[in-house]
């Protein structure tokens, strides 16, 4: 994956980013109901850094989430987590979960399966960009700058049928048909730049005269 790229590649790709306009929350074209869901986390605040525990620098488990202000007609919820700053044509998908029950109001820490973690029983998890039904811990290329991870929650009406491990395209098509409202929470993470900085020599002063 992209996190294994050497720093020189990260620097070269610094200006190449998928963009926030391409995350599902924005690409879906919703107006009524957009951002009406209140999506929060006790682990981080909107547009603040993700604690290392939830990234490849730590245990790599999924963070806890809470939601409120759902439409009364909501029958289920879909969570999609995307990296808006991945140097790819579309945002990198870090997690998909479908069939969340509105009444639960939250998703516990480590609920999504990840490395060395089985996750919560009964959770319907879709495919991330690594083609795994799991949480893909943030780990952007060194030297590429700050990445914004968009936690997107969608309220659905009706009862769309999803495959065993739905991917981004399947989710997008289902949301176009059934989405009632959406919520967005952004956490950031930056892979430290470990390259050695060479200081420029200070300009020589006037020669001493004696």
């Amino acid at each position: 994956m992209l996190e294994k790229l050497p720093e020189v590649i990260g620097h070269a790709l610094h200006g190449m980013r998928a963009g926030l306009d391409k995350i599902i929350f924005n690409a879906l074209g919703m107006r009524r109901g957009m951002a009406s869901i209140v999506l929060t986390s006790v682990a981080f605040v909107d547009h603040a850094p993700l604690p290392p525990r939830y990234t490849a620098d730590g245990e790599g488990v999924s963070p806890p989430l809470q939601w409120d202000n759902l439409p009364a007609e909501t029958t289920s919820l879909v969570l999609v987590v995307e990296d808006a700053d991945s140097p790819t044509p579309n945002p990198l998908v870090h997690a998909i979960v479908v069939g969340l029950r509105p009444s639960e109001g939250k998703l516990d820490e480590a609920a999504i399966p990840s490395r060395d973690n089985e996750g919560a029983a009964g959770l319907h998890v879709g495919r991330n960009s690594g083609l795994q039904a799991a949480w893909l811990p943030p780990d952007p290329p060194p030297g590429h700058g700050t990445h914004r991870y968009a936690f997107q929650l969608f309220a659905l009406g009706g009862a769309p049928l999803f495959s065993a491990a739905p991917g981004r395209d399947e989710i997008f098509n289902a949301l176009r048909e059934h989405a009632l409202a959406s919520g967005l929470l952004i956490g950031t993470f930056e892979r430290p730049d470990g390259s050695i900085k060479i200081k420029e020599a200070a300009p020589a002063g006037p020669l001493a005269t004696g």
Side-chain angles (χ1 to χ4, degrees):
M1 297 300 290
L2 297 174
E3 68 273 9
K4 304 303 182 185
L5 292 175
E7 290 171 13
V8 64
I9 302 298
H11 285 293
L13 296 175
H14 192 274
M16 185 181 296
R17 295 170 184 268
L20 272 175
D21 59 319
K22 290 188 178 179
I23 65 172
I24 291 179
F25 179 85
N26 290 321
L28 198 58
M30 291 180 65
R31 288 297 175 263
R32 179 178 176 271
M34 178 176 279
S36 62
I37 298 175
V38 178
L39 181 63
T40 59
S41 175
V42 296
F44 64 98
V45 297
D46 191 35
H47 282 85
L50 291 165
R53 173 172 174 77
Y54 308 114
T55 73
D57 280 0
E59 291 85 345
V61 297
S62 60
L65 298 169
Q66 303 83 43
W67 54 81
D68 198 3
N69 200 41
L70 302 178
E73 60 270 38
T74 302
T75 57
S76 67
L77 298 165
V78 169
L79 173 70
V80 181
V81 184
E82 295 180 291
D83 179 2
D85 294 292
S86 59
T88 50
N90 287 310
L92 211 62
V93 176
H94 284 260
I96 291 174
V97 182
V98 302
L100 290 168
R101 291 195 290 266
S103 58
E104 292 190 353
K106 65 185 177 72
L107 191 64
D108 292 331
E109 179 183 88
I112 306 173
S114 58
R115 65 189 186 204
D116 304 321
N117 169 50
E118 293 183 357
L123 206 63
H124 190 167
V125 182
R127 295 191 315 276
N128 60 35
S129 287
L131 302 181
Q132 296 178 323
W135 166 252
L136 181 64
D139 196 0
H144 196 250
T146 301
H147 280 222
R148 294 164 293 180
Y149 296 89
F151 292 76
Q152 306 155 82
L153 189 68
F154 300 93
L156 276 62
L161 296 176
F162 291 104
S163 62
R168 188 181 193 270
D169 289 344
E170 182 178 342
I171 294 298
F172 189 83
N173 290 333
L175 291 175
R176 283 196 300 186
E177 292 286 330
H178 301 281
L180 302 173
S182 59
L184 177 65
L185 173 67
I186 290 180
T188 66
F189 184 60
E190 180 175 0
R191 171 63 53 217
D193 183 356
S195 59
I196 299 175
K197 306 297 190 298
I198 301 176
K199 294 183 178 180
E200 294 183 3
L207 294 176
T209 57

